[in-house]
Amino acid sequence: MASQQYVDKPHARQSYRNAWHIDLMNTRYSVSPCASYLLRKCALYNDMSRYTCCAGYMPCSGKCGESSCLEFCLCTEVFLSFCNSVASTRLLLQDEFDIQTTKFDNCFIIIQSGFMLCLQQLACIFSIIAMIVGSDEITEAFQSLKCLADMTYCT
């Protein structure tokens, strides 16, 4: 169960006083684990002693043995959990610089997440049907849906 601090944090971000210089609607994404790695290091002011897995925002944070091998853990995080890494860096900056979450941010994130979950569920159904029926066409449809869901997740 999440601590009350993490439950209250999203509501607190709505009352932060600063705004992003470039809002989410006009952001150009760089979908690269290397870019995510460098951005996190910059967010930590190149002080890796401040590093915690997923910037402390995920249940695994602090439980991954990251204190013994900081650079390796950050590399592992950005390659194995790329989307969480990007989102965690965004939240880290948002909390540190008191940057508010806009209504558009919330709407975009909710719609995108809902669309991705629908695609994943549909892909799962196609996968089950493909296993039962043994159809190559349904398997290809499953793979296309899964790919689309993964691309949606990465945005």
Side-chain angles (χ1 to χ4, degrees):
M1 189 162 132
S3 71
Q4 192 62 35
Q5 171 191 0
Y6 290 109
V7 172
D8 294 338
K9 201 64 166 174
H11 298 294
R13 287 187 188 105
Q14 293 175 345
S15 63
Y16 283 173
R17 58 187 164 84
N18 297 319
W20 293 102
H21 291 289
I22 299 173
D23 63 9
L24 193 56
M25 187 172 196
N26 295 310
T27 302
R28 302 293 181 258
Y29 292 97
S30 174
V31 287
S32 160
C34 295
S36 181
Y37 178 88
L38 292 173
L39 287 172
R40 178 67 66 77
K41 280 194 77 165
C42 286
L44 297 171
Y45 303 101
N46 289 321
D47 179 6
M48 287 301 290
S49 67
R50 297 179 63 200
Y51 173 76
T52 303
C53 182
C54 295
Y57 294 101
M58 301 294 160
C60 64
S61 299
K63 299 174 185 168
C64 302
E66 57 262 41
S67 60
S68 61
C69 195
L70 301 168
E71 299 279 344
F72 177 75
C73 287
L74 179 56
C75 283
T76 303
E77 175 189 331
V78 299
F79 280 98
L80 297 182
S81 186
F82 173 70
C83 296
N84 286 335
S85 173
V86 171
S88 296
T89 301
R90 182 180 191 276
L91 293 173
L92 177 70
L93 293 171
Q94 196 171 0
D95 289 340
E96 183 167 341
F97 294 109
D98 208 25
I99 300 171
Q100 65 182 245
T101 300
T102 65
K103 290 179 183 177
F104 175 79
D105 292 344
N106 290 336
C107 182
F108 177 77
I109 291 167
I110 289 168
I111 290 172
Q112 183 230 14
S113 298
F115 180 64
M116 177 203 59
L117 289 172
C118 288
L119 287 173
Q120 287 177 332
Q121 289 175 350
L122 193 58
C124 181
I125 291 167
F126 271 65
S127 172
I128 292 168
I129 293 170
M131 284 188 291
I132 293 170
V133 175
S135 168
D136 289 337
E137 291 84 11
I138 297 175
T139 301
E140 287 178 26
F142 151 71
Q143 290 171 342
S144 297
L145 285 167
K146 183 172 178 350
C147 182
L148 186 58
D150 291 345
M151 288 188 319
T152 302
Y153 181 69
C154 288
T155 61

